[in-house]
Amino acid sequence: MKVGLQPLLNDGNLDATQSTSQRQLEISVSAIPGEFTENVPLNLCLILDHSGSMSGRPLETVKQAAGQLVDKLKSGDRLSVVIFDHRAKVLVANQLIEDRNKIKRQINQLKPDGGTAIDEGLRLGIEELAKGKKDTISQAFVLTDGENEHGSNEKCLKLAQLAASYKMTLNSLGFGVHWNQDVLEKIADAGGGTLSYIEQPEQAVDAFGRLFKRIQSVGLTNAYLLFSLMPKVRLAELKPIAQVFPDTIELPVQPEGDKFSVRLGDLMTAQQRIILANLYIAQMPEGQQILANLQVRYDDPAQGKEGLLSEVFPVTGNFIQNYQPNLNPQVQKSILALAKYRQTQIAETKLQQGDRTGAATMLQTAAKTALQMGDQSAATVLQTSATRLQAGQELSEADRKKTRIVSKTILQSDS
């Protein structure tokens, strides 16, 4: 397994007569399987809300979805199940997949009860995951339908950051319409995973299946993108780097010696991570000039090796006297994806401040951006929310959640 990386500037030509140029650098990163690919065992923890509000069809479909995951896991994979209401307990201790029927019977005995304390579930889930993390791909699914009424939201974020530092990935699933979007989004973003929205109970099986497919394609873990910028190149000071695919997330940048590092987490074989960096480039002589060197540091769980380094990938720009733009449509789409996300965030802030007109205008702008990038489903959701605000209506919980989800990712439809 090795790292595939492709850097692309939004415009590979630069004006040699201009003192400073701004460019967006798109970096596509993935894991590339070798000739002989060894399957790395999965270490999966399901952290499931079984509070009173999950009663009936919601909990039944979650048990069904969890049971199907048990059947999909291979010999050598590990599973643990933690359940929480206003307390948390281990339902299935971390173990190798051997007696599937026994595990499914334990899951099927789950009954709805009590309130909601997500942080307690997270804490126990991370402890269980830690027991099986050596030479595995360690992932958790955190599912809830409610507010963290008996827990601390700040503690949830700290636990997600702790999990990432221990090379575990947390994915969150919001069930129904009353879960706290900010908490689950922060858990997924800080935990290096993804946020899924299960609006109707019958979508649970598909949502679990999609997430499982994603983690099955993880080839390399704990990846960091390392930037070595040339003396005349610098990162933008405000929000310099973001991921735009598979989810849009602002990424923190850390200085590391004479380099900058950005944590990417898992690298998948079936899906690229696409990063966008905002660069300022000072005047350079005519011709092809190196602007930066990129490298990825990563762990290879199949080999049990940590801190491996990829080859160095140079980023070059072509400085010309008679400047003619050479725009890259692929990078332009990434720029639009980030714009859609940021425009929707501004709309949410305006709505919180009571500026409904401003929020509606920004949502319309985001809808037009989505159309430009060919994301019809996002454009429809964003325009519908804008129209409701313009008509003096409140946005429902479902409207707000769909609006946030489509700003971050391509909406998945269940057929």
Side-chain angles (χ1 to χ4, degrees):
M1 197 73 71
K2 62 177 187 176
V3 172
L5 187 149
Q6 184 184 28
L8 289 172
L9 289 171
N10 64 319
D11 181 353
N13 288 346
L14 293 108
D15 191 340
T17 66
Q18 200 168 309
S19 59
T20 309
S21 302
Q22 185 182 13
R23 288 292 181 271
Q24 303 293 326
L25 171 64
E26 180 193 279
I27 306 147
S28 304
V29 192
S30 62
I32 298 176
E35 193 178 341
F36 304 104
T37 304
E38 190 180 329
N39 278 331
V40 183
L42 290 179
N43 174 34
L44 179 62
C45 181
L46 303 179
I47 304 170
L48 305 177
D49 181 348
H50 73 118
S51 58
S53 56
M54 289 289 290
S55 177
R57 187 145 171 70
L59 191 56
E60 290 310 309
T61 56
V62 168
K63 290 195 284 191
Q64 182 191 348
Q68 289 196 12
L69 284 195
V70 174
D71 287 332
K72 287 178 180 175
L73 288 164
K74 299 188 177 93
S75 294
D77 290 341
R78 305 187 72 91
L79 178 71
S80 50
V81 181
V82 166
I83 57 172
F84 65 92
D85 45 31
H86 50 278
R87 300 171 302 273
K89 73 172 188 177
V90 178
L91 182 70
V92 178
N94 189 296
Q95 60 189 261
L96 282 166
I97 290 293
E98 287 169 346
D99 190 341
R100 295 174 199 272
N101 288 330
K102 183 184 174 186
I103 294 171
K104 287 194 282 189
R105 279 197 303 273
Q106 288 172 285
I107 292 169
N108 283 331
Q109 286 165 5
L110 201 48
K111 300 279 191 291
D113 188 33
T116 309
I118 302 169
D119 50 352
E120 281 304 297
L122 269 181
R123 183 182 61 77
L124 266 189
I126 290 167
E127 285 177 13
E128 284 304 305
L129 211 51
K131 293 174 186 176
K133 93 180 183 66
K134 183 171 168 54
D135 297 336
T136 62
I137 290 165
S138 296
Q139 300 261 342
F141 291 7
V142 186
L143 179 140
T144 184
D145 75 334
E147 292 278 346
N148 192 23
E149 58 196 358
H150 294 280
S152 157
N153 293 343
E154 195 176 320
K155 194 173 169 190
C156 284
L157 177 60
K158 284 184 177 166
L159 284 164
Q161 291 166 336
L162 179 71
S165 73
Y166 281 115
K167 305 176 187 179
M168 305 169 187
T169 300
L170 303 184
N171 303 282
S172 53
L173 299 102
F175 197 105
V177 294
H178 298 298
W179 46 280
N180 187 315
Q181 182 123 18
D182 291 329
V183 173
L184 287 198
E185 187 170 352
K186 281 175 182 169
I187 288 170
D189 287 357
T194 189
L195 169 64
S196 301
Y197 176 24
I198 304 170
E199 190 177 0
Q200 302 296 334
E202 59 271 16
Q203 296 170 336
V205 170
D206 284 337
F208 271 53
R210 270 199 305 272
L211 257 186
F212 188 72
K213 196 173 175 185
R214 175 168 162 157
I215 67 172
Q216 277 184 310
S217 83
V218 172
L220 303 170
T221 59
N222 197 39
Y224 285 80
L225 182 59
L226 307 176
F227 288 79
S228 292
L229 300 176
M230 294 300 111
K232 293 190 172 184
V233 181
R234 64 180 173 87
L235 287 169
E237 286 171 27
L238 193 65
K239 296 182 177 177
I241 296 178
Q243 176 179 290
V244 295
F245 189 83
D247 312 278
T248 306
I249 310 165
E250 305 284 358
L251 293 173
V253 181
Q254 302 292 336
E256 196 174 294
D258 58 352
K259 299 183 174 78
F260 293 100
S261 78
V262 177
R263 187 174 191 276
L264 303 180
D266 301 321
L267 296 183
M268 293 157 277
T269 55
Q271 204 174 48
Q272 293 177 325
R273 285 195 180 275
I274 299 180
I275 312 301
L276 206 56
N278 191 1
L279 301 179
Y280 285 91
I281 303 156
Q283 196 170 15
M284 293 190 196
E286 271 190 277
Q288 287 284 342
Q289 304 290 347
I290 293 180
L291 308 177
N293 286 311
L294 305 176
Q295 201 170 21
V296 177
R297 186 175 65 238
Y298 61 95
D299 298 346
D300 187 340
Q303 297 183 48
K305 291 183 178 176
E306 298 182 349
L308 299 171
L309 286 170
S310 74
E311 62 179 289
V312 174
F313 298 85
V315 180
T316 60
N318 182 30
F319 286 79
I320 48 179
Q321 285 289 336
N322 300 314
Y323 168 70
Q324 293 289 326
N326 181 23
L327 299 176
N328 186 304
Q330 182 181 321
V331 185
Q332 190 57 31
K333 193 170 178 181
S334 293
I335 293 168
L336 290 170
L338 185 55
K340 176 185 72 164
Y341 174 68
R342 289 177 175 168
Q343 288 157 356
T344 308
Q345 281 194 316
I346 293 167
E348 282 192 13
T349 303
K350 288 186 180 295
L351 197 54
Q352 286 162 5
Q353 294 166 345
D355 181 3
R356 297 165 68 92
T357 306
T361 302
M362 282 313 300
L363 285 173
Q364 272 190 316
T365 304
K368 285 175 188 166
T369 304
L371 269 183
Q372 270 184 281
M373 60 182 285
D375 189 354
Q376 182 64 55
S377 59
T380 303
V381 170
L382 294 164
Q383 184 56 56
T384 301
S385 292
T387 304
R388 283 190 181 146
L389 288 176
Q390 286 166 331
Q393 297 171 11
E394 294 292 330
L395 292 186
S396 69
E397 283 291 331
D399 290 335
R400 287 171 185 265
K401 286 176 168 60
K402 260 192 190 163
T403 297
R404 177 87 65 91
I405 292 284
V406 300
S407 79
K408 282 179 72 75
T409 189
I410 303 294
L411 191 65
Q412 297 282 356
S413 62
D414 296 291
S415 50

